[in-house]
Amino acid sequence: MDGLNIPLSHILLVSSLLFAVGMLGLMMRRNIIFILMSLEVMLNSTALAFVAAGAHWGQPDGQIVFMLILSVAAAEVAVGLGLVLQIQRRFKSLDMDNANRMQG
Amino acid sequence: MLEISLFYIAATVALVATILAMTRANAIHALIYLIVSLLAVAVIFFLIGAPFAAALEIVIYAGAIMVLFVFVIMMLNLGEEGDAREKQWLSPAVWAGPTLLAVILFAELLYIISSVEGPVSTAQVTAKQVGLTLFGPYVLAVEIASMLLLAGLVGSYHLGRRALDRNIHEADARALSESNSNSTSDSNADKGAQ
Amino acid sequence: MRQLIGLIPLIPLLSSVCLMLLGSRLPRLWIGLLGVGSVGLAALLTGLTAVDFLANPEPFQLTLWVWMQVGNFAPGVAFYFDGLTLVMMSVITGVGFLIHLFSTEFMEEDKSYARYFAYLNMFVAAMLILVMADNLLLLYLGWEGVGVCSYLLVGFWYQNSANGQAARKAFIVTRIGDTAMALGLFLLFSELGTLNIQALGVAANETWQVGDKLPLIACLLLLAGAVGKSAQLPLHTWLPDAMAGPTPVSALIHAATMVTAGVYLIARTHELYLLAPIAMIAVALVGLTTSLMAAFTALTQRDIKRILAYSTISQIGYMFLALGVGAWSAGVFHLMTHAFFKALLFLGSGAIIHCLHHEHDIFKMGGLRTRMPVTFWSFMIGSAALAALPMTSGFFSKDQILLQAYQVDGIGPWLWLGGLLGALLTAIYSFRLVFVVFFGKANTEPDRDTGWRMALPLSLLCALALFGGWIMLPVAEVFPVASGLHPAHWVEYVSIAVPVVGVVIAYLVFYSGQLPVDGLLNRPSMQSLQRFWHSGWGLDALYDRLFVRPYYALAALLKGEPVDAVYGLIVAINQTLNGWLAEGQSGQMRRYLISMVFGLIVVLAILLGVF
């Protein structure tokens, strides 16, 4: 484990790319399952950035924030998938464009 | 040197798998690409000296959360026509605008990252260190996280109940019958007016 | 006994409240008993008090409670009782009782029987408070109270919009005078520090000299209030229209009591007027001008009630003339006799109107002498008293006024001459009424003569109108003594002769036709003069042009709410923007996400210093 190290900026680059792709999916997809997946990708990319930063300083804090993000993601998915089931039952479809009753 | 090439390979795999996951029509396919992407990220974690995080990534993210997705998709019982509709929704007219926005955002992030310099430390941050810190200065965060998970538990239980389901159906039926009766009375009034 | 005078206004007031609350549930007999009985009881108490007072003529004051206390300003609900109060109270309760009794027959077919008596009783209570008040603030309360009752009763038959119009006119025009009077009260209080009438007289004499400016202003402001209430020039226009109310109301409010409140006010505050000779001359001139104007107008009217209304204006003008020349007791005397004979005339006309199915035009009546004898004789006596034929009550009071007017230095003879002209006209128009209505060819058939409830008040008032002149007013203590000088005898003879001449002229023109005036009247110049007189000297039209129409125009302008339009613009802008923003609320989650990302990009760009 010596010699050339991985530059931090490259890891952050990967993290940003993952974030952008996740956001693209979020904006693009109409299926709520894919929307939830996009959210997971975005959370994961953020987690990557935190862990990388923690490694950069040689501190454990980055990994702790990663674990917090993990628990947020777990809770979010649990509630989100519950909503998916309800939406499927009510609208007989996963298309979020159908769930537009709150329009002004 | 090996580490660096391993990192780039893992990064490429993660990116490609994510892009493929975002563009699949079939949810299960997308999910499997997503798992691949998560595994690749776990490799990166391992490479930058965070083995505990890598393990959690695999166990919880790829293992637990993604399996939850799989269960739900199985419960929903999506058919072939769903795939066709998904393909139809992925036309260029739909993704052009979001892609532009995503590219701009990425450019901005790039601009921010460009000022970052230096390598990540090669020294490992072990699970022991993480555990000591977690239950030391961050113990309050642990409590908050536990509350959050409890809330998620209660929320998902509530949302998944059949009783709620029935209530919703009754409310819908009532609203439907009301709107029907309104429209019939309206039409009656119209007839009277005529 | 003297403690009981507090009950006199209270009884009609309680009765009024009872009628308002329970009126619709009581049988008619009870309503009549309550309405008439309460005023009758008040009249009885007044009579008892009068007996007591005449035996021991000492003015007294009765404080019921302190109304309000603000610093050193503590007006009480307190009554002051002296000869003038007694005269006014007797007129109000006595004549009021007779008119109430008359009303029970006049209004017997009306649906709103209880409402009528509730208003009428409330009026009596307010009028009693007005004349009994020991301070000007309580007087003002009664003053406004009678104004409200007048409004309510003029517009009693509110289903006809013209009546509502007349009621509003009466209210608004008198309000002009009332405002001036309120200003006068403010001035008096700020200068003299009290509103108690007796204390005011003392303080004014201590503070001011004769001819000072402040008493002049205060007196003119009070005069304006009196002019509004008593329908004198230039605020007289409401009274002829106020005849829209039921006829007994006209008799009580617009002939006998309320319209004389102005006379009472000036008589009550005469100590102030004595300090302002110019104000007194103004009072006299207002009275004389009004009396002549109204007499000319009465000569040309056709509506029986309008003739009597203008006659009332004219007679109150006489009272003002009397007050202006310092003949206080003569003015109050005329007030009393006028209350008798004008109430008689109004009730007589009410009887005619009642029996002729609400016919008002005198030229559609005629020949009623034999068919309505009671009414004929009451009208005959009333007109004689109005015309001041010798030995009637009007003769004594009017004669006193004219004689005392003659004695004023400088303008006295001119005032006397004007008064004589007025007396001549009064005699002519009052007997024109008698000859046209009761003699000549019958044009309408009355279905009956009056019942006893009408006949009894008429007869009693006949007696009062005939012999009221012999009543000695107990006001010697109240007013300063008039000069003992007596003018030359010829002045008196002329004053006596002029009304007789007027009656003869009326007889020749309107009954026997021996004095041919048709040719004269048909000339264009005379025609236009007649029209001018008929319209009340064009004042109504003038006010309409000067005040009413500009006001309507202003109201029409403001109806569009020009100021509000500016704020309305703000509202419209906000609503438009709201509409646009509501468009954005599509309910489509992807659009929200896209706009969120867009916002994120912009915020990031700002943070990075791109903009």
Side-chain angles (χ1 to χ4, degrees):
Chain A
M1 292 263 173
D2 53 3
L4 291 168
N5 286 323
I6 304 160
L8 176 63
S9 58
H10 288 194
I11 303 177
L12 291 181
L13 186 70
V14 172
S15 159
S16 307
L17 269 169
L18 285 175
F19 187 81
V21 171
M23 207 170 61
L24 179 63
L26 191 68
M27 289 188 289
M28 201 168 72
R29 304 304 295 243
R30 289 166 71 169
N31 190 323
I32 186 165
I33 300 257
F34 283 92
I35 290 172
L36 285 175
M37 281 188 212
S38 310
L39 281 173
E40 292 307 314
V41 170
M42 286 167 78
L43 281 169
N44 195 37
S45 72
T46 326
L48 177 58
F50 270 110
V51 174
H56 176 67
W57 300 109
Q59 295 292 327
D61 304 61
Q63 291 189 49
I64 285 164
V65 176
F66 165 73
M67 287 162 75
L68 294 180
I69 289 174
L70 208 61
S71 54
V72 168
E76 177 240 312
V77 162
V79 176
L81 289 176
L83 282 171
V84 168
L85 292 176
Q86 288 298 336
I87 285 169
Q88 168 72 9
R89 281 176 198 158
R90 287 196 73 161
F91 298 102
K92 308 294 173 220
S93 152
L94 292 175
D95 184 359
M96 281 311 285
D97 287 9
N98 284 346
N100 62 352
R101 273 203 202 163
M102 285 183 75
Q103 65 192 14
Chain B
M1 199 59 209
L2 179 69
E3 283 170 10
I4 293 179
S5 27
L6 273 179
F7 165 72
Y8 288 116
I9 292 166
T12 315
V13 168
L15 267 174
V16 171
T18 308
I19 291 171
L20 286 172
M22 292 293 97
T23 51
R24 285 311 86 188
N26 187 305
I28 292 289
H29 294 177
L31 214 52
I32 290 170
Y33 277 119
L34 196 56
I35 291 171
V36 171
S37 156
L38 292 173
L39 290 175
V41 172
V43 169
I44 295 174
F45 282 166
F46 192 77
L47 286 175
I48 59 177
F52 186 54
L56 283 181
E57 177 91 3
I58 292 169
V59 170
I60 296 181
Y61 245 124
I65 298 180
M66 290 303 129
V67 167
L68 207 57
F69 268 97
V70 172
F71 281 159
V72 168
I73 290 166
M74 281 159 64
M75 278 174 76
L76 293 179
N77 196 14
L78 302 166
E80 293 284 323
E81 71 274 20
D83 291 2
R85 203 173 53 228
E86 289 288 339
K87 281 210 182 77
Q88 199 187 335
W89 286 344
L90 285 174
S91 62
V94 174
W95 55 257
T99 308
L100 182 67
L101 285 173
V103 167
I104 295 171
L105 189 72
F106 176 66
E108 284 179 342
L109 290 175
L110 205 59
Y111 178 72
I112 299 170
I113 292 164
S114 63
S115 61
V116 176
E117 279 180 6
V120 292
S121 165
T122 51
Q124 281 206 358
V125 179
T126 59
K128 186 180 179 188
Q129 275 177 290
V130 173
L132 283 174
T133 320
L134 189 63
F135 290 99
Y138 285 99
V139 69
L140 196 62
V142 173
E143 293 298 324
I144 293 172
S146 67
M147 293 296 289
L148 184 69
L149 286 169
L150 180 65
L153 183 70
V154 173
S156 55
Y157 170 70
H158 175 73
L159 285 171
R161 268 194 312 166
R162 286 274 160 194
L164 180 71
D165 208 29
R166 199 163 57 237
N167 284 347
I168 289 169
H169 279 303
E170 278 168 7
D172 277 3
R174 215 178 302 127
L176 197 69
S177 64
E178 271 169 19
S179 66
N180 279 345
S181 64
N182 282 347
S183 63
T184 50
S185 64
D186 285 351
S187 60
N188 285 343
D190 287 347
K191 277 172 202 159
Q194 283 158 10
Chain C
M1 188 66 235
R2 302 197 158 175
Q3 303 303 315
L4 286 182
I5 63 165
L7 285 178
I8 297 174
L10 183 68
I11 293 168
L13 190 65
L14 279 181
S15 154
S16 167
V17 171
C18 281
L19 286 171
M20 280 180 200
L21 295 180
L22 306 170
S24 53
R25 290 180 206 151
L26 293 175
R28 283 182 169 245
L29 181 66
W30 283 43
I31 296 170
L33 279 179
L34 201 56
V36 178
S38 62
V39 181
L41 203 56
L44 197 67
L45 279 174
T46 311
L48 290 175
T49 316
V51 170
D52 185 54
F53 179 78
L54 291 177
N56 175 23
E58 189 67 31
F60 63 94
Q61 198 237 25
L62 175 70
T63 304
L64 297 181
W65 68 86
V66 173
W67 191 359
M68 56 182 108
Q69 176 120 30
V70 183
N72 60 350
F73 176 60
V77 175
F79 297 139
Y80 181 78
F81 194 93
D82 65 1
L84 178 58
T85 317
L86 176 62
V87 172
M88 294 301 293
M89 283 170 67
S90 312
V91 169
I92 293 161
T93 55
V95 177
F97 169 67
L98 295 177
I99 291 171
H100 275 70
L101 185 59
F102 183 91
S103 298
T104 55
E105 185 174 339
F106 188 86
M107 300 297 287
E108 65 189 342
E109 279 151 26
D110 201 279
K111 277 197 291 254
S112 309
Y113 201 58
R115 184 162 62 93
Y116 175 82
F117 278 106
Y119 290 166
L120 217 55
N121 277 349
M122 189 160 74
F123 169 80
V124 170
M127 190 72 202
L128 283 170
I129 289 172
L130 196 165
V131 298
M132 290 165 74
D134 125 290
N135 57 62
L136 285 176
L137 197 69
L138 190 60
L139 185 147
Y140 197 71
L141 176 76
W143 188 274
E144 294 296 330
V146 294
V148 170
C149 295
S150 164
Y151 166 79
L152 292 171
L153 284 164
V154 170
F156 183 74
W157 290 313
Y158 57 86
Q159 288 91 343
N160 183 349
S161 72
N163 294 345
Q165 188 82 26
R168 282 195 295 279
K169 186 174 178 183
F171 196 69
I172 292 167
V173 173
T174 49
R175 187 68 45 248
I176 297 168
D178 292 355
T179 309
M181 179 174 160
L183 292 178
L185 298 194
F186 299 154
L187 179 69
L188 285 175
F189 181 72
S190 69
E191 289 298 321
L192 300 178
T194 178
L195 281 179
N196 185 297
I197 296 169
Q198 307 306 316
L200 213 55
V202 176
N205 276 317
E206 283 170 0
T207 320
W208 290 327
Q209 301 295 313
V210 174
D212 273 359
K213 208 174 265 174
L214 279 173
L216 175 62
I217 296 171
C219 286
L220 287 180
L221 284 170
L222 291 185
L223 172 63
V227 158
K229 203 54 124 190
S230 295
Q232 298 294 290
L233 273 175
L235 297 178
H236 68 284
T237 54
W238 63 273
L239 187 57
D241 287 356
M243 295 298 131
T247 310
V249 169
S250 309
L252 178 61
I253 300 185
H254 304 119
T257 53
M258 186 189 85
V259 288
T260 57
V263 179
Y264 170 77
L265 175 71
I266 293 178
R268 190 44 104 187
T269 55
H270 65 274
E271 296 199 44
L272 295 173
Y273 279 87
L274 285 174
L275 294 171
I278 299 175
M280 287 191 53
I281 291 174
V283 173
L285 287 180
V286 164
L288 185 62
T289 327
T290 310
S291 100
L292 287 177
M293 183 281 300
F296 276 117
T297 308
L299 207 51
T300 55
Q301 295 290 326
R302 294 169 67 96
D303 182 328
I304 186 167
K305 285 186 74 180
R306 286 181 87 88
I307 294 174
L308 291 175
Y310 276 108
S311 156
T312 304
I313 297 175
S314 171
Q315 293 306 308
I316 297 170
Y318 268 109
M319 297 172 210
F320 270 63
L321 175 64
L323 299 174
V325 300
W328 312 105
S329 56
V332 175
F333 192 29
H334 195 56
L335 185 160
M336 184 185 76
T337 57
H338 172 256
F340 296 153
F341 63 70
K342 191 52 68 66
L344 175 62
L345 284 170
F346 262 115
L347 292 187
S349 77
I352 295 172
I353 291 167
H354 186 62
C355 295
L356 289 186
H357 312 293
H358 294 271
E359 179 58 64
H360 280 217
D361 189 338
I362 56 169
F363 288 102
K364 290 186 181 159
M365 300 169 184
L368 293 178
R369 173 169 44 108
T370 49
R371 283 166 301 169
M372 299 181 70
V374 179
T375 316
F376 167 63
W377 281 109
S378 10
F379 238 85
M380 201 67 191
I381 292 167
S383 297
L386 172 59
L389 290 182
M391 296 304 122
T392 58
S393 62
F395 165 75
F396 291 99
S397 53
K398 200 177 276 188
D399 202 40
Q400 272 187 26
I401 294 173
L402 289 175
L403 292 185
Q404 293 205 30
Y406 184 81
Q407 286 169 295
V408 174
D409 290 333
I411 58 171
W414 296 104
L415 293 176
W416 177 72
L417 268 181
L420 274 188
L421 178 59
L424 180 68
L425 291 168
T426 307
I428 294 175
Y429 71 68
S430 54
F431 276 87
R432 165 180 177 256
L433 194 58
V434 171
F435 289 130
V436 169
V437 172
F438 290 97
F439 293 83
K441 190 163 59 71
N443 292 326
T444 333
E445 192 63 32
D447 50 357
R448 59 187 184 279
D449 197 8
T450 51
W452 72 269
R453 283 173 296 172
M454 284 189 172
L456 181 68
L458 286 176
S459 330
L460 284 173
L461 283 170
C462 278
L464 285 170
L466 265 184
F467 306 114
W470 274 286
I471 297 174
M472 290 296 292
L473 289 190
V475 293
E477 306 282 325
V478 183
F479 299 121
V481 193
S483 69
L485 292 174
H486 206 269
H489 280 297
W490 66 267
V491 174
E492 204 164 338
Y493 297 147
V494 171
S495 305
I496 295 169
V498 161
V500 182
V501 173
V503 174
V504 171
I505 292 173
Y507 175 80
L508 292 176
V509 173
F510 297 105
Y511 183 62
S512 69
Q514 280 165 319
L515 197 64
V517 288
D518 285 350
L520 186 69
L521 288 179
N522 284 336
R523 283 195 209 152
S525 60
M526 290 305 285
Q527 286 283 330
S528 52
L529 189 65
Q530 253 186 315
R531 273 200 299 278
F532 178 61
W533 287 349
H534 182 78
S535 65
W537 290 24
L539 283 173
D540 253 339
L542 183 70
Y543 291 165
D544 193 46
R545 291 263 157 73
L546 274 183
F547 303 114
V548 179
R549 282 195 206 166
Y551 187 79
Y552 277 163
L554 191 67
L557 180 72
L558 293 178
K559 193 177 155 199
E561 302 192 46
V563 179
D564 236 26
V566 176
Y567 300 109
L569 192 67
I570 295 172
V571 173
I573 289 171
N574 278 313
Q575 275 175 345
T576 315
L577 291 177
N578 172 43
W580 292 350
L581 289 176
E583 287 288 309
Q585 180 121 12
S586 61
Q588 309 252 316
M589 203 177 72
R590 284 187 309 136
R591 292 204 188 167
Y592 298 165
L593 279 171
I594 290 171
S595 46
M596 230 167 87
V597 170
F598 185 75
L600 177 66
I601 289 169
V602 171
V603 169
L604 259 182
I606 290 170
L607 287 176
L608 294 175
V610 172
F611 295 120

